[in-house]
Amino acid sequence: MATLCHSAHTRTFGKIGRRNAAKVLCSTQMPPSQSTIKVLTATSSEGKIWWYIEKVVIIGATKEIGRTAIAAVSKARGMELAGAIDSQCIGLDAGEISGMEEALEIPVLNDLTMVLGSIAQTRATGVVVDFSEPSTVYDNVKQAAAFGLNSVVYVPKIELDTVTELSAFCEKASMGCLVAPTLSIGSVLLQQAAIQASFHYNNVEIVESRPNPSDLPSQDAIQIANNITDLGQIYNREDMDSDNPARGQILGEDGVRVHSMVLPGLASSTSIHFSGPGEIYTLRHDVTNVQCLMPGLILAIRKVIRLKNLIYGLEKFL
């Protein structure tokens, strides 16, 4: 048994969104605008080293991921928290609600327009990070674009129709946006490795464990099944027609099965088991806490600022 993760080309939408996939395109990267603020960070015998300061606004700041993102952005080189937006904890300091040792002197507000307007007045480069709800994403991205800010959207339940609408808007407005089904680099690598392995094995089962029973199969399992669907392979031919509940749920039409375990206190885990004559090949990704999303978030913020339209999937930046 091997446990590996490595890179391979990944399809973004799979079967669920095939009709809309062609409308969501990756843009050519563009240089930052001339209004970007430059800050001297160090000097050496080789000359000056510069980096860009990015103003970051977080929508959904009081959620667990929002609080974690506040700390991550505040500590990241070349980034500065410029706003924390939420309907709860209004007036509280963003640093305090995120558990930081010192206050950031950035209060939680419920007025996105005011925050975006203040950034626009400074002519600084900015990014809006949206952890809100599917129903508000479109308006948030449009509002950010109106003030010249690109967006990173991590709202797992967002509909692909909304993504398509956002893609058309961003293309017309020449504004950048990343819509990320996941911000976990490990999850992206797991999916890419699964695609590569799927060309070599006839049997595959997805086994996931989650601490609570909501939304199963998970979006991760659905995305994996979509990614390895229609690649010219039919899986688990021996019992494709089995309707025994113990065999798990079939996702798609190619025989990919998923088994979801729910055990309170258990870390979230996703495993993909491939088998061939005389061998089992296993890919596994475990998540212990929301910190796993922060490296991907920081990468997304750094990269999205150069875009001029919408892309779907963090894998485009890896």
Side-chain angles (χ1 to χ4, degrees), residues 49-299:
I49 302 173
W50 300 82
W51 76 62
Y52 296 104
I53 290 290
E54 296 180 39
K55 303 280 189 177
V56 180
V57 178
I58 296 177
I59 304 176
T62 67
K63 295 182 178 182
E64 181 184 9
I65 186 173
R67 298 194 306 271
T68 307
I70 287 172
V73 166
S74 300
K75 296 174 183 177
R77 186 179 69 175
M79 293 184 191
E80 176 183 314
L81 184 71
I85 307 298
D86 210 300
S87 59
Q88 303 182 36
C89 302
I90 304 298
L92 296 184
D93 185 84
E96 293 178 352
I97 68 170
S98 63
M100 300 180 68
E101 296 181 357
E102 297 182 1
L104 295 175
E105 299 184 358
I106 302 287
V108 177
L109 301 175
N110 194 24
D111 191 339
L112 178 60
T113 301
M114 183 178 71
V115 174
L116 295 178
S118 65
I119 296 174
Q121 288 179 357
T122 66
R123 297 181 60 82
T125 298
V127 173
V128 171
V129 177
D130 194 345
F131 298 132
S132 62
E133 303 298 328
S135 60
T136 62
V137 168
Y138 187 82
D139 289 339
N140 290 341
V141 172
K142 285 186 66 175
Q143 196 167 359
F147 286 92
L149 277 70
N150 289 356
S151 298
V152 172
V153 176
Y154 175 65
V155 181
K157 294 182 181 180
I158 188 172
E159 297 289 338
L160 289 179
D161 287 344
T162 302
V163 177
T164 301
E165 293 174 3
L166 279 173
S167 179
F169 167 77
C170 291
E171 185 77 29
K172 184 176 181 179
S174 294
M175 296 300 298
C177 178
L178 167 70
V179 177
T182 181
L183 288 171
S184 166
I185 293 176
S187 178
V188 172
L189 294 176
L190 178 76
Q191 295 182 33
Q192 292 177 335
I195 292 173
Q196 188 172 26
S198 67
F199 292 103
H200 305 284
Y201 295 96
N202 297 325
N203 294 278
V204 58
E205 307 260 342
I206 301 171
V207 180
E208 61 179 358
S209 60
R210 297 293 185 267
N212 57 70
S214 62
D215 300 323
L216 294 175
S218 69
Q219 290 299 313
D220 284 345
I222 293 172
Q223 187 72 37
I224 292 167
N226 282 340
N227 286 344
I228 63 177
T229 291
D230 282 351
L231 296 182
Q233 181 70 281
I234 300 296
Y235 308 96
N236 309 317
R237 291 177 180 271
E238 295 80 3
D239 65 342
M240 272 196 65
D241 298 328
S242 173
D243 57 0
N244 187 335
R247 288 295 297 119
Q249 179 180 344
I250 294 181
L251 298 181
E253 301 176 358
D254 294 347
V256 180
R257 292 184 180 270
V258 61
H259 308 262
S260 300
M261 298 188 299
V262 178
L263 295 172
L266 191 66
S268 293
S269 176
T270 303
S271 299
I272 312 168
H273 303 273
F274 294 92
S275 74
E279 67 174 345
I280 303 291
Y281 178 60
T282 298
L283 304 166
R284 174 169 171 166
H285 178 239
D286 295 336
V287 173
T288 57
N289 59 55
V290 74
Q291 288 286 349
C292 73
L293 304 180
M294 294 304 106
L297 173 63
I298 298 302
L299 174 65

Side-chain angles (χ1 to χ4, degrees), residues 302-313:
R302 295 193 195 284
K303 296 291 188 177
V304 77
I305 207 164
R306 299 173 180 270
L307 299 180
K308 292 299 181 182
N309 62 355
L310 183 144
I311 68 169
Y312 185 92

